[in-house]
Amino acid sequence: MPSIDTNKPCDFTIFGVLGDLSRRKLIPSLYQLDRVALLHEDTRIIGVARHQLSQEDFVAKMRDSLETFVNDSLEPDVVERLLNRLHYVLINLDVPEEYSRLQEVIDQEQRVLVNYFSVAPFLFDDICKGLDYAAIVTPETRVVLEKPIGRDLETSQEINDTVARVFTEDQVYRIDHYLGKETVMNLLALRFANSIFTTNWDHNTIDHVQITVAEEVGIEGRWGYFDKSGQTRDMVQNHLMQILTLVAMEPPVNMHGDSIRNEKLKVLKALRPITIDNVDDKTVRGQYKAGFIKGKPVPGYLEEEDGNPSSATESFVAIRVDIDNWRWADVPFYLRTGKRLTTKRSEVVIYFKRLPHNIFKDSYKHLPQNKLVIRLQPDEGVEIVMMNKVPGIGKGIKLQKTLLDLSFSEAFSDVRIADAYERLILETMHGNQSLFIRRDEVERSWKWIDSIQDAWASSNEPPRSYPAGTWGPVASVALLARDGREWEE
Ligand code: BG6
C-alpha cells in the first residue's frame, strides 16, 4: 500500500473537469481544503476535457463554479491561490497519443498523482489506456472512480478488470460519498469508542434495526441515468449497504483500510439471499405519482421531463435484510429509501429488546423499547429514547418517555461540518483507502442486489404507486407490520 504522506505535493487531475460533479463538488471542495491549509503549497489541479479552451477561459469557468457552488462567502485570497493552481489540458479521451500533453504538465518525479475519473464509466477504459500509453502510471499514481461501478455484477467486473489492467487494487479509490459524511464516520466512533455500545450490540439486546435514507428530491433532470438504474441500484447497492455494513460489522483490529474493509466484506457475505421464493415477503418497490412536497404540487415519476410514460423503474424500495451470523441471528435490518418522500432524512434507528418483566404496570402498562437514533442528515446527531420518572411525590411512580439528545450543531457549534467530498479528496491525496470501497466489496454487494433484481424481473409485478410527499407505498408499512413492528416516523 502506498505510504500515507501528507507532506508531498500532489498533481490532482480531474478527467471531465467541466462536468456537473466537478463544478458542483470537486472544485468547491478543493477550495475548502485550500482555505484551511490542507493543500500542499505546490499542489496543482489539472483539468482535462475535450473542449478547445484557453487557460484564461478555463480559470474563468472555475471561478464561476466557486461563485455558484460554494455556500459560504468566498475569501478572495484563497480563490486566487486556488485558481493559480489550475492547469487545463485538452484531451480527446479515446486518443492515446493526446495523453502526452498531460505527461508534459505533470511532475511524476516529485509528486503524488491522483487521477479523478469524473466521467461515465464507459470512458474508464480509454483513460486507463491513455495514461498507460503516455507512461504516466507510477507506484505513486492513484485513480479515483465515481459511481456507478456497473449496473450489476457482470458490468462491475468489466469495469474493475479494465482498471486492473493498468492499476493495482491499492491504487484504486472507489467513491461512495456516504463514507465521507461526518455522521457516517461517527458510526465507527459511536460503536467502537463507547463500551456501552460495544457490549450491547447484538441479538441479545437488539430487537431490530431500521435504516432510512429518505429524499425529497425527484429525478432532477437525470431521467436518462435514473430510469436504467432505479433507487435500488442508485442508492441501496452503495450508500445503504455501506451504512448497513458499518452498523453490523465486527470490531476491526485497527483503523487501517483493509482491517475495516475485511470486516465489511464479512457482513456482505453473511447476507441471506433474496430470491424469487421470498422476494414478495422481503421487498417492496414503489414509484411516485403526482403529489405535494411542502405544499407545492409536483409531477409523478412518469410525467417527469423526458420521462418514459410506461417505465416500471422503482423510485422507492424497502427491504427486510437478514444477516446470517452469530451476532445478528433473528435481528432483521429494515432498509428503506425513496425519492419524493415527505422530507429529506437519513437515519439509523436501533430498537432494543423489550424488558422481560414490567414492574411499573400500574402506571405504565406497556413499557416502550429503548431506541438509539443516529441522525445522519440533516440535523446530525444522536438521541436515546429512554424512560424516566416524572418528578413528584404522592402518587407512586409515574414514568415518561424522554429523549437524551445530542445535536452536533449544538455540541460542536464552532466546527464547520465538511462536505463528504472534501474529506474523500484529501484522503486520496494522503493514500488512505479506508473510506473507499474495495473491489470484492462492490462485487459482493452487486451479487446480492442482482438476485433481488432477477427475482423482481421474474415476478413481473410493477412497482406500487405512492403519492409524492408521503412515506412510500402502503405495502412498506405492511412489510414491518407482518413482523409486529412499525417504521420510525
Ligand atoms: C447519489 C444518487 O449517489 O446520492 C442520487 O445518485 C441521490 O440519486 C444522492 O440523490 C443523495 O446524496 P445525499 O448526499 O444528498 O444524501
Side-chain angles (χ1 to χ4, degrees):
M1 176 175 162
S3 57
I4 296 183
D5 186 347
T6 51
N7 293 320
K8 254 190 164 178
C10 172
D11 274 351
F12 191 84
T13 304
I14 304 174
F15 289 87
V17 72
L18 303 177
D20 205 45
L21 177 76
S22 160
R23 297 188 58 240
R24 270 175 197 279
K25 290 287 184 189
L26 306 185
I27 297 294
S29 296
L30 286 159
Y31 164 84
Q32 296 292 2
L33 292 174
D34 210 354
R35 194 177 61 80
V36 290
L38 285 170
L39 295 187
H40 189 284
E41 58 177 359
D42 291 331
T43 284
R44 299 184 304 176
I45 300 158
I46 300 161
V48 175
R50 60 179 172 188
H51 296 279
Q52 194 74 47
L53 214 56
S54 66
Q55 171 74 7
E56 292 68 39
D57 289 347
F58 173 59
V59 169
K61 277 185 187 294
M62 297 301 107
R63 186 190 292 278
D64 177 66
S65 301
L66 294 177
E67 285 165 359
T68 315
F69 297 113
V70 173
N71 294 329
D72 327 324
S73 53
L74 290 170
E75 293 176 26
D77 53 332
V78 183
V79 172
E80 295 317 312
R81 191 162 71 227
L82 186 86
L83 296 179
N84 275 327
R85 296 176 186 277
L86 292 171
H87 298 261
Y88 182 68
V89 180
L90 184 157
I91 297 180
N92 284 295
L93 296 180
D94 55 349
V95 185
E97 294 74 20
E98 294 191 7
Y99 288 74
S100 57
R101 295 183 195 142
L102 182 60
Q103 222 267 357
E104 284 158 21
V105 175
I106 59 174
D107 181 354
Q108 281 164 279
E109 297 298 310
Q110 303 299 327
R111 290 153 188 271
V112 167
L113 306 177
V114 176
N115 296 286
Y116 199 115
F117 294 4
S118 178
V119 293
F122 74 87
L123 292 166
F124 290 2
D125 191 24
D126 287 337
I127 305 178
C128 288
K129 282 183 182 146
L131 291 172
D132 195 29
Y133 182 88
I136 290 173
V137 183
T138 73
E140 289 283 27
T141 309
R142 297 164 196 163
V143 286
V144 186
L145 309 183
E146 257 301 327
K147 77 178 256 280
I149 310 287
R151 64 184 313 277
D152 53 21
L153 176 60
E154 195 184 331
T155 48
S156 73
Q157 282 171 333
E158 282 167 14
I159 293 173
N160 287 328
D161 285 345
T162 297
V163 175
R165 279 195 278 277
V166 178
F167 296 98
T168 56
E169 182 61 26
D170 60 16
Q171 293 177 295
V172 182
Y173 293 70
R174 294 181 193 79
I175 292 250
D176 181 318
H177 77 278
Y178 269 55
L179 289 184
K181 288 184 190 271
E182 195 64 59
T183 42
V184 174
M185 288 199 67
N186 191 46
L187 284 171
L188 291 175
L190 201 67
R191 285 199 56 196
F192 304 121
N194 295 293
S195 63
I196 50 166
F197 297 131
T198 53
T199 49
N200 284 304
W201 207 263
D202 62 15
H203 63 98
N204 289 309
T205 43
I206 294 180
D207 176 72
H208 75 281
V209 178
Q210 297 184 12
I211 300 176
T212 295
V213 177
E215 301 187 89
E216 218 175 85
V217 292
I219 300 311
E220 310 288 286
R222 295 195 304 154
W223 179 279
Y225 157 75
F226 189 85
D227 199 52
K228 284 196 215 81
S229 162
Q231 193 74 352
T232 312
R233 292 188 175 100
D234 186 45
M235 296 292 289
V236 181
Q237 185 273 334
N238 34 69
H239 309 323
L240 276 89
M241 301 284 274
Q242 285 300 318
I243 299 172
L244 169 83
T245 54
L246 290 174
V247 173
M249 72 182 187
E250 296 300 314
V253 288
N254 54 35
M255 286 294 286
H256 293 167
D258 277 339
S259 306
I260 295 176
R261 298 186 301 176
N262 289 344
E263 296 307 333
K264 289 198 289 171
L265 181 66
K266 284 186 208 160
V267 176
L268 294 171
K269 285 185 174 170
L271 299 183
R272 190 178 304 165
I274 295 179
T275 62
I276 185 74
D277 298 330
N278 57 7
V279 73
D280 291 340
D281 296 336
K282 302 264 191 168
T283 70
V284 173
R285 284 193 305 155
Q287 190 185 68
Y288 61 86
K289 55 184 185 184
F292 292 85
I293 297 278
K294 303 239 153 72
K296 288 209 178 110
V298 293
Y301 180 75
L302 302 180
E303 296 112 43
E304 291 277 10
E305 201 187 328
D306 300 328
N308 154 20
S310 58
S311 168
T313 298
E314 81 287 353
S315 59
F316 173 95
V317 62
I319 309 180
R320 174 186 158 134
V321 182
D322 292 279
I323 304 176
D324 285 327
N325 65 14
W326 193 280
R327 184 182 285 267
W328 297 115
D330 290 328
V331 181
F333 282 61
Y334 299 97
L335 314 185
R336 106 184 127 156
T337 177
K339 306 243 182 280
R340 287 283 191 235
L341 298 188
T342 314
T343 188
K344 181 173 171 78
R345 193 176 86 200
S346 300
E347 65 185 16
V348 178
V349 187
I350 314 284
Y351 281 76
F352 292 92
K353 286 197 161 153
R354 288 186 190 282
L355 290 168
H357 178 64
N358 180 5
I359 61 168
F360 302 104
K361 318 200 232 314
D362 294 344
S363 63
Y364 216 109
K365 205 158 175 208
H366 299 293
L367 286 176
Q369 288 163 275
N370 289 130
K371 277 188 297 188
L372 169 67
V373 182
I374 305 161
R375 297 192 302 265
L376 303 177
Q377 64 183 25
D379 185 21
E380 293 83 352
V382 177
E383 68 190 45
I384 297 178
V385 179
M386 57 194 296
M387 299 303 286
N388 271 295
K389 178 187 170 302
V390 180
I393 53 172
K395 288 196 180 142
I397 291 191
K398 194 168 169 231
L399 300 182
Q400 188 175 309
K401 201 153 82 167
T402 42
L403 273 189
L404 213 57
D405 192 352
L406 171 79
S407 162
F408 288 178
S409 59
E410 284 166 26
F412 307 105
S413 56
D414 51 349
V415 182
R416 171 182 168 271
I417 297 205
D419 184 87
Y421 278 93
E422 294 170 33
R423 171 174 289 108
L424 295 175
I425 288 174
L426 189 65
E427 298 304 340
T428 65
M429 293 177 178
H430 290 178
N432 173 12
Q433 286 189 306
S434 62
L435 300 182
F436 299 86
I437 306 180
R438 210 168 55 190
R439 175 174 184 157
D440 46 8
E441 277 183 88
V442 175
E443 295 184 356
R444 195 72 203 193
S445 85
W446 273 126
K447 189 171 176 209
W448 190 76
I449 293 288
D450 281 359
S451 166
I452 301 179
Q453 297 281 1
D454 291 347
W456 282 337
S458 333
S459 83
N460 247 333
E461 280 271 324
R464 295 157 197 267
S465 69
Y466 61 95
T470 64
W471 281 106
V474 181
S476 149
V477 177
L479 178 77
L480 269 70
R482 277 201 292 278
D483 299 340
R485 302 183 173 111
E486 54 188 42
W487 289 109
E488 170 81 10
E489 255 158 43

